[in-house]
Amino acid sequence: MKPRKLNIKIIPATDINRAYRFWRDVFDLPQSGHENGRHLMLDGDDITFVTGKPIDTLEILVRDHQEDLLKHLRNNFITIIGVPEERFGNKIAFQINDSEGNTITLEANK
């Protein structure tokens, strides 16, 4: 997966290590050079995992095309929630849940 932007850089989790592994592996995010705690990087910004309740406002813009994104999600055993939504500019949005119950909207090229 080729993520470009994430609207929220602090991700709530009940198990920070599990959340870190999920986001690193599913979204192919590199580790940050940050010394304290589990941090990943996206678009030059640190992504931090904190103890908290799940949210449903996470949104990731990816460079991938719909077919490639769907294949990647299947390969990682990720289920799409509901019906994909057509968006402006020949984009399509899918919703998934991460390992912590956060709902994430993935916006990809159609």
Side-chain angles (χ1 to χ4, degrees), residues 3-12 23 27 29 42-43 45-48 55-62 87 95 102-107:
R4 288 181 46 202
K5 299 275 185 201
L6 174 63
N7 65 332
I8 298 171
K9 305 299 191 280
I10 298 175
I11 312 297
W23 283 73
F27 299 117
L29 298 176
L42 180 58
D43 196 35
D45 293 324
D46 275 2
I47 297 171
T48 306
I55 59 175
D56 62 0
T57 54
L58 293 165
E59 194 158 329
I60 299 176
L61 177 63
V62 298
R87 291 207 172 163
Q95 286 194 325
N102 295 304
T103 301
I104 305 163
T105 301
L106 301 170
E107 184 177 276

Short mmCIF file of all heavy atoms in Angstrom, two decimals, residues 3-12 23 27 29 42-43 45-48 55-62 87 95 102-107:
data_model
loop_
_atom_site.label_atom_id
_atom_site.label_comp_id
_atom_site.label_asym_id
_atom_site.label_seq_id
_atom_site.Cartn_x
_atom_site.Cartn_y
_atom_site.Cartn_z
N PRO A 3 0.42 4.79 1.22
CA PRO A 3 -0.31 5.88 1.88
C PRO A 3 0.36 7.23 1.65
O PRO A 3 1.59 7.31 1.58
CB PRO A 3 -0.27 5.48 3.35
CG PRO A 3 0.89 4.57 3.48
CD PRO A 3 1.07 3.91 2.15
N ARG A 4 -0.47 8.27 1.53
CA ARG A 4 0.06 9.63 1.31
C ARG A 4 -0.23 10.54 2.48
O ARG A 4 0.63 11.30 2.90
CB ARG A 4 -0.57 10.23 0.06
CG ARG A 4 -0.06 9.61 -1.19
CD ARG A 4 -0.66 10.23 -2.42
NE ARG A 4 -0.66 11.68 -2.37
CZ ARG A 4 -1.47 12.44 -3.08
NH1 ARG A 4 -2.34 11.91 -3.89
NH2 ARG A 4 -1.42 13.75 -2.99
N LYS A 5 -1.45 10.54 2.97
CA LYS A 5 -1.86 11.47 4.03
C LYS A 5 -2.73 10.74 5.05
O LYS A 5 -3.50 9.86 4.70
CB LYS A 5 -2.69 12.61 3.45
CG LYS A 5 -1.98 13.47 2.44
CD LYS A 5 -1.20 14.54 3.11
CE LYS A 5 -0.60 15.44 2.02
NZ LYS A 5 0.52 16.17 2.46
N LEU A 6 -2.60 11.15 6.30
CA LEU A 6 -3.44 10.66 7.40
C LEU A 6 -3.94 11.88 8.15
O LEU A 6 -3.14 12.74 8.52
CB LEU A 6 -2.63 9.75 8.32
CG LEU A 6 -3.31 9.25 9.59
CD1 LEU A 6 -4.52 8.39 9.26
CD2 LEU A 6 -2.32 8.46 10.45
N ASN A 7 -5.25 11.97 8.37
CA ASN A 7 -5.82 13.17 8.96
C ASN A 7 -5.55 13.31 10.46
O ASN A 7 -5.54 14.41 10.98
CB ASN A 7 -7.32 13.27 8.69
CG ASN A 7 -8.12 12.15 9.34
OD1 ASN A 7 -7.61 11.05 9.57
ND2 ASN A 7 -9.37 12.41 9.63
N ILE A 8 -5.34 12.21 11.17
CA ILE A 8 -5.10 12.26 12.61
C ILE A 8 -3.81 11.49 12.89
O ILE A 8 -3.67 10.35 12.47
CB ILE A 8 -6.28 11.63 13.39
CG1 ILE A 8 -7.55 12.43 13.12
CG2 ILE A 8 -5.98 11.57 14.88
CD1 ILE A 8 -8.81 11.77 13.67
N LYS A 9 -2.89 12.09 13.61
CA LYS A 9 -1.58 11.47 13.83
C LYS A 9 -1.45 10.77 15.18
O LYS A 9 -0.41 10.22 15.49
CB LYS A 9 -0.47 12.53 13.72
CG LYS A 9 -0.47 13.31 12.42
CD LYS A 9 -0.27 12.44 11.22
CE LYS A 9 -0.02 13.17 9.96
NZ LYS A 9 -1.11 13.72 9.24
N ILE A 10 -2.50 10.79 15.99
CA ILE A 10 -2.50 10.10 17.28
C ILE A 10 -3.59 9.03 17.22
O ILE A 10 -4.77 9.35 17.09
CB ILE A 10 -2.73 11.07 18.45
CG1 ILE A 10 -1.58 12.08 18.48
CG2 ILE A 10 -2.83 10.32 19.76
CD1 ILE A 10 -1.74 13.17 19.50
N ILE A 11 -3.19 7.76 17.31
CA ILE A 11 -4.09 6.63 17.14
C ILE A 11 -4.38 5.99 18.50
O ILE A 11 -3.46 5.54 19.17
CB ILE A 11 -3.47 5.56 16.21
CG1 ILE A 11 -2.91 6.17 14.92
CG2 ILE A 11 -4.48 4.44 15.94
CD1 ILE A 11 -3.90 6.82 14.03
N PRO A 12 -5.66 5.93 18.90
CA PRO A 12 -5.99 5.27 20.16
C PRO A 12 -5.93 3.75 20.03
O PRO A 12 -6.22 3.20 18.98
CB PRO A 12 -7.41 5.74 20.45
CG PRO A 12 -7.98 6.09 19.12
CD PRO A 12 -6.84 6.53 18.26
N TRP A 23 -0.58 -1.29 11.97
CA TRP A 23 -0.36 -0.13 11.11
C TRP A 23 0.94 -0.26 10.32
O TRP A 23 1.00 0.10 9.15
CB TRP A 23 -0.38 1.16 11.93
CG TRP A 23 -1.77 1.56 12.28
CD1 TRP A 23 -2.61 0.97 13.20
CD2 TRP A 23 -2.51 2.62 11.69
NE1 TRP A 23 -3.82 1.61 13.22
CE2 TRP A 23 -3.79 2.63 12.31
CE3 TRP A 23 -2.23 3.57 10.72
CZ2 TRP A 23 -4.77 3.55 11.96
CZ3 TRP A 23 -3.21 4.49 10.39
CH2 TRP A 23 -4.46 4.47 11.00
N PHE A 27 -0.31 -0.96 6.47
CA PHE A 27 -0.13 0.28 5.71
C PHE A 27 1.30 0.48 5.23
O PHE A 27 1.60 1.50 4.62
CB PHE A 27 -0.60 1.47 6.55
CG PHE A 27 -2.06 1.39 6.89
CD1 PHE A 27 -2.47 1.29 8.22
CD2 PHE A 27 -3.04 1.37 5.91
CE1 PHE A 27 -3.81 1.19 8.54
CE2 PHE A 27 -4.38 1.28 6.23
CZ PHE A 27 -4.77 1.19 7.55
N LEU A 29 4.05 1.26 6.75
CA LEU A 29 4.63 2.50 7.25
C LEU A 29 6.00 2.24 7.87
O LEU A 29 6.18 1.27 8.61
CB LEU A 29 3.71 3.13 8.30
CG LEU A 29 2.33 3.54 7.80
CD1 LEU A 29 1.50 4.07 8.97
CD2 LEU A 29 2.45 4.59 6.71
N LEU A 42 4.51 8.94 8.43
CA LEU A 42 3.73 9.09 7.21
C LEU A 42 3.82 10.54 6.79
O LEU A 42 3.52 11.45 7.58
CB LEU A 42 2.27 8.68 7.41
CG LEU A 42 1.37 8.81 6.19
CD1 LEU A 42 1.91 7.99 5.02
CD2 LEU A 42 -0.03 8.39 6.50
N ASP A 43 4.28 10.76 5.58
CA ASP A 43 4.39 12.10 5.01
C ASP A 43 5.23 13.02 5.90
O ASP A 43 4.91 14.18 6.11
CB ASP A 43 2.99 12.68 4.77
CG ASP A 43 3.01 13.89 3.85
OD1 ASP A 43 3.85 13.92 2.93
OD2 ASP A 43 2.20 14.81 4.06
N ASP A 45 5.59 13.01 9.09
CA ASP A 45 5.05 13.22 10.44
C ASP A 45 5.06 11.92 11.23
O ASP A 45 4.80 10.86 10.67
CB ASP A 45 3.61 13.75 10.39
CG ASP A 45 3.52 15.14 9.80
OD1 ASP A 45 4.42 15.95 10.05
OD2 ASP A 45 2.53 15.41 9.10
N ASP A 46 5.31 12.03 12.54
CA ASP A 46 5.21 10.87 13.42
C ASP A 46 3.75 10.50 13.64
O ASP A 46 2.89 11.37 13.77
CB ASP A 46 5.81 11.18 14.80
CG ASP A 46 7.30 10.97 14.85
OD1 ASP A 46 7.90 10.62 13.81
OD2 ASP A 46 7.88 11.16 15.93
N ILE A 47 3.50 9.21 13.70
CA ILE A 47 2.20 8.69 14.10
C ILE A 47 2.44 8.04 15.46
O ILE A 47 3.31 7.18 15.60
CB ILE A 47 1.66 7.66 13.10
CG1 ILE A 47 1.44 8.33 11.75
CG2 ILE A 47 0.39 7.02 13.61
CD1 ILE A 47 1.13 7.37 10.64
N THR A 48 1.66 8.45 16.45
CA THR A 48 1.84 7.99 17.81
C THR A 48 0.63 7.17 18.24
O THR A 48 -0.51 7.51 17.91
CB THR A 48 1.98 9.20 18.76
OG1 THR A 48 3.03 10.04 18.27
CG2 THR A 48 2.30 8.77 20.17
N ILE A 55 -11.95 5.23 17.67
CA ILE A 55 -12.59 6.36 17.01
C ILE A 55 -12.99 5.94 15.60
O ILE A 55 -12.52 4.92 15.08
CB ILE A 55 -11.68 7.61 16.98
CG1 ILE A 55 -10.36 7.32 16.25
CG2 ILE A 55 -11.42 8.10 18.40
CD1 ILE A 55 -9.47 8.53 16.08
N ASP A 56 -13.83 6.76 14.97
CA ASP A 56 -14.27 6.43 13.60
C ASP A 56 -13.98 7.56 12.62
O ASP A 56 -14.62 7.67 11.59
CB ASP A 56 -15.76 6.09 13.60
CG ASP A 56 -16.64 7.24 14.04
OD1 ASP A 56 -16.11 8.34 14.35
OD2 ASP A 56 -17.86 7.06 14.06
N THR A 57 -12.99 8.41 12.94
CA THR A 57 -12.72 9.58 12.10
C THR A 57 -11.37 9.53 11.41
O THR A 57 -10.92 10.54 10.88
CB THR A 57 -12.81 10.85 12.97
OG1 THR A 57 -11.94 10.71 14.10
CG2 THR A 57 -14.23 11.10 13.44
N LEU A 58 -10.72 8.38 11.39
CA LEU A 58 -9.43 8.26 10.72
C LEU A 58 -9.64 8.15 9.21
O LEU A 58 -10.49 7.40 8.75
CB LEU A 58 -8.68 7.02 11.21
CG LEU A 58 -8.22 7.07 12.67
CD1 LEU A 58 -7.85 5.69 13.15
CD2 LEU A 58 -7.06 8.03 12.82
N GLU A 59 -8.86 8.91 8.46
CA GLU A 59 -8.97 8.86 7.01
C GLU A 59 -7.57 8.89 6.40
O GLU A 59 -6.76 9.74 6.74
CB GLU A 59 -9.80 10.03 6.50
CG GLU A 59 -10.23 9.83 5.08
CD GLU A 59 -11.44 10.66 4.68
OE1 GLU A 59 -12.30 10.93 5.52
OE2 GLU A 59 -11.50 11.00 3.49
N ILE A 60 -7.32 7.94 5.50
CA ILE A 60 -6.03 7.82 4.83
C ILE A 60 -6.24 7.94 3.33
O ILE A 60 -7.08 7.25 2.75
CB ILE A 60 -5.35 6.47 5.14
CG1 ILE A 60 -5.10 6.32 6.63
CG2 ILE A 60 -4.06 6.34 4.36
CD1 ILE A 60 -4.52 4.98 7.02
N LEU A 61 -5.45 8.80 2.72
CA LEU A 61 -5.43 8.92 1.27
C LEU A 61 -4.27 8.06 0.77
O LEU A 61 -3.15 8.18 1.26
CB LEU A 61 -5.21 10.38 0.87
CG LEU A 61 -5.09 10.70 -0.61
CD1 LEU A 61 -6.38 10.34 -1.33
CD2 LEU A 61 -4.76 12.17 -0.80
N VAL A 62 -4.55 7.16 -0.17
CA VAL A 62 -3.51 6.27 -0.71
C VAL A 62 -3.36 6.50 -2.22
O VAL A 62 -4.30 6.93 -2.89
CB VAL A 62 -3.81 4.78 -0.41
CG1 VAL A 62 -3.84 4.53 1.08
CG2 VAL A 62 -5.09 4.33 -1.07
N ARG A 87 -16.22 9.03 -4.82
CA ARG A 87 -15.84 10.38 -4.40
C ARG A 87 -15.40 11.19 -5.61
O ARG A 87 -15.11 10.66 -6.68
CB ARG A 87 -14.72 10.32 -3.36
CG ARG A 87 -15.21 9.74 -2.04
CD ARG A 87 -14.40 10.26 -0.92
NE ARG A 87 -14.96 9.88 0.37
CZ ARG A 87 -14.28 9.93 1.49
NH1 ARG A 87 -13.04 10.35 1.50
NH2 ARG A 87 -14.86 9.60 2.62
N GLN A 95 -14.11 1.55 3.89
CA GLN A 95 -13.92 1.59 5.33
C GLN A 95 -13.49 0.23 5.84
O GLN A 95 -13.98 -0.81 5.38
CB GLN A 95 -15.20 2.02 6.05
CG GLN A 95 -15.47 3.50 5.89
CD GLN A 95 -16.51 3.98 6.87
OE1 GLN A 95 -17.45 3.27 7.19
NE2 GLN A 95 -16.34 5.20 7.34
N ASN A 102 -10.70 0.82 15.65
CA ASN A 102 -10.84 2.12 14.99
C ASN A 102 -11.36 1.91 13.58
O ASN A 102 -10.93 0.99 12.89
CB ASN A 102 -9.48 2.83 14.91
CG ASN A 102 -8.92 3.19 16.27
OD1 ASN A 102 -9.57 3.88 17.04
ND2 ASN A 102 -7.71 2.72 16.54
N THR A 103 -12.29 2.76 13.15
CA THR A 103 -12.77 2.70 11.78
C THR A 103 -11.94 3.65 10.95
O THR A 103 -11.78 4.82 11.29
CB THR A 103 -14.26 3.09 11.71
OG1 THR A 103 -15.01 2.19 12.53
CG2 THR A 103 -14.78 3.02 10.28
N ILE A 104 -11.41 3.12 9.84
CA ILE A 104 -10.52 3.89 8.96
C ILE A 104 -11.15 3.95 7.58
O ILE A 104 -11.55 2.93 7.02
CB ILE A 104 -9.14 3.21 8.86
CG1 ILE A 104 -8.56 3.01 10.25
CG2 ILE A 104 -8.22 4.01 7.97
CD1 ILE A 104 -7.44 2.00 10.29
N THR A 105 -11.21 5.15 7.01
CA THR A 105 -11.65 5.33 5.64
C THR A 105 -10.41 5.44 4.77
O THR A 105 -9.54 6.27 5.02
CB THR A 105 -12.51 6.60 5.49
OG1 THR A 105 -13.65 6.49 6.34
CG2 THR A 105 -12.97 6.78 4.04
N LEU A 106 -10.32 4.57 3.77
CA LEU A 106 -9.22 4.59 2.81
C LEU A 106 -9.73 5.17 1.50
O LEU A 106 -10.67 4.63 0.92
CB LEU A 106 -8.72 3.17 2.55
CG LEU A 106 -8.20 2.38 3.73
CD1 LEU A 106 -7.98 0.93 3.32
CD2 LEU A 106 -6.92 2.99 4.24
N GLU A 107 -9.12 6.25 1.04
CA GLU A 107 -9.52 6.84 -0.23
C GLU A 107 -8.45 6.51 -1.27
O GLU A 107 -7.29 6.85 -1.08
CB GLU A 107 -9.69 8.35 -0.11
CG GLU A 107 -10.20 8.96 -1.41
CD GLU A 107 -10.45 10.44 -1.30
OE1 GLU A 107 -11.55 10.80 -0.82
OE2 GLU A 107 -9.56 11.21 -1.67
#
